[in-house]
Amino acid sequence: MKIYFKIIGVFFILFFVSCNQKSETKNTNETILTGNTTIEVDETLKPIIEDQVQIFESLYKAKINIAAKSEKEVIQSLLNNTSRIAILSRVLTKEETTFFENKKLIPKTTLFAKDAIALIANKNNKDTLIALQEVIDFVQNKKQFTIKGLVFDNPNSSTARYICEKAGIKSLPENGVFSFKTNDEVIKYVSQNNGMIGVVGVNCIFEPMPKMQDYIDKINVLEVKDINNANYFSPTQNNIAEGKYPLARDLYIINCQGYSGLGMGFASFIAGDIGQRIVLKSGLVPVTFPSRKLNIRKQISNDKK
């Protein structure tokens, strides 16, 4: 009798394991154009990636979940294996790349667009010009009288890291610097507080959510003068493309999956013709400008009788 129950017990264990294996196989049944995955996205780049994912999902049997976080949190998710696909405004460092290589994973980095960091001010602030040197002096705690305070989305964000790199400092100062969680919160705060300078991703200005339009209408996007430059430039698509705007940056999709999955498929899509058209339409600068087909006729027919 004991042997009978042991056999029944072993049978149920094998059945349970078998069901779990089938379930795992189903959940990981992913190709370059089908399946389900999560992409970790720098919060400042969320609007453009939402547009890309919407079109990608409409064309293929795929479901891509967007996890919008600060840049540091995105990197941490990659290292912790929470996700293997990320959208960032920088490439992986040597140490981060080595981490994956030690796991026999070779990160594949695809450059797909160029955007910029925008400096914004309340509309009541009549001065719409700002010198990059003024921002650098402020975060270096040097005495200056033009900036009352800087507002960032997050101390761990790509915008904060970018300004720190420009200023040659490791972290932002405590005095005069305010941090929230999202770009939308920065825009709201600046629209309600005169004298503050907000630091946001330009994509959040070009493609705001409808609920943000009233706040966008109450701010000015400032023209910025680069160091040792006499001219001021706004972060327009043309100025970013021509390299005139001093706070431009490159955008990358980083795939650490290590197999032919949705990371590879989405990277090919976003860098391909359709993806680049979406980038162009969003107001950002594509890496390759989409081609235009022209139908040239030798003769114009006259339909009038």
Side-chain angles (χ1 to χ4, degrees), residues 135-137 139-140 161-170:
V135 177
I136 291 175
D137 288 345
V139 296
Q140 289 179 340
R161 188 259 308 162
Y162 187 95
I163 295 299
C164 284
E165 287 181 354
K166 283 286 187 182
I169 58 176
K170 292 184 178 181

Side-chain angles (χ1 to χ4, degrees), residues 105-214:
L105 294 172
I106 307 300
K108 296 183 178 179
T109 302
T110 303
L111 173 66
F112 71 90
K114 186 183 287 288
D115 87 330
I117 289 174
L119 302 180
I120 60 174
N122 189 284
K123 259 215 165 43
N124 291 327
N125 184 356
K126 302 304 179 182
D127 190 0
T128 59
L129 305 177
I130 188 169
L132 179 56
Q133 188 62 57
E134 295 173 11
V135 177
I136 291 175
D137 288 345
F138 185 85
V139 296
Q140 289 179 340
N141 281 321
K142 293 180 180 178
K143 189 174 181 180
Q144 51 87 46
F145 304 97
T146 55
I147 299 176
K148 179 180 178 181
L150 285 178
V151 188
F152 290 86
D153 53 335
N154 190 306
N156 295 319
S157 69
S158 58
T159 55
R161 188 259 308 162
Y162 187 95
I163 295 299
C164 284
E165 287 181 354
K166 283 286 187 182
I169 58 176
K170 292 184 178 181
S171 61
L172 295 170
E174 294 183 2
N175 296 329
V177 174
F178 303 84
S179 297
F180 292 92
K181 289 185 178 181
T182 67
N183 277 237
D184 286 351
E185 289 178 299
V186 174
I187 294 170
K188 287 180 182 179
Y189 185 81
V190 172
S191 71
Q192 297 165 351
N193 293 273
N194 191 19
M196 306 302 292
I197 303 296
V199 186
V200 298
V202 75
N203 195 206
C204 300
I205 304 294
F206 287 163
E207 291 190 295
M209 296 292 288
K211 64 179 181 180
M212 291 299 300
Q213 193 57 55
D214 288 342

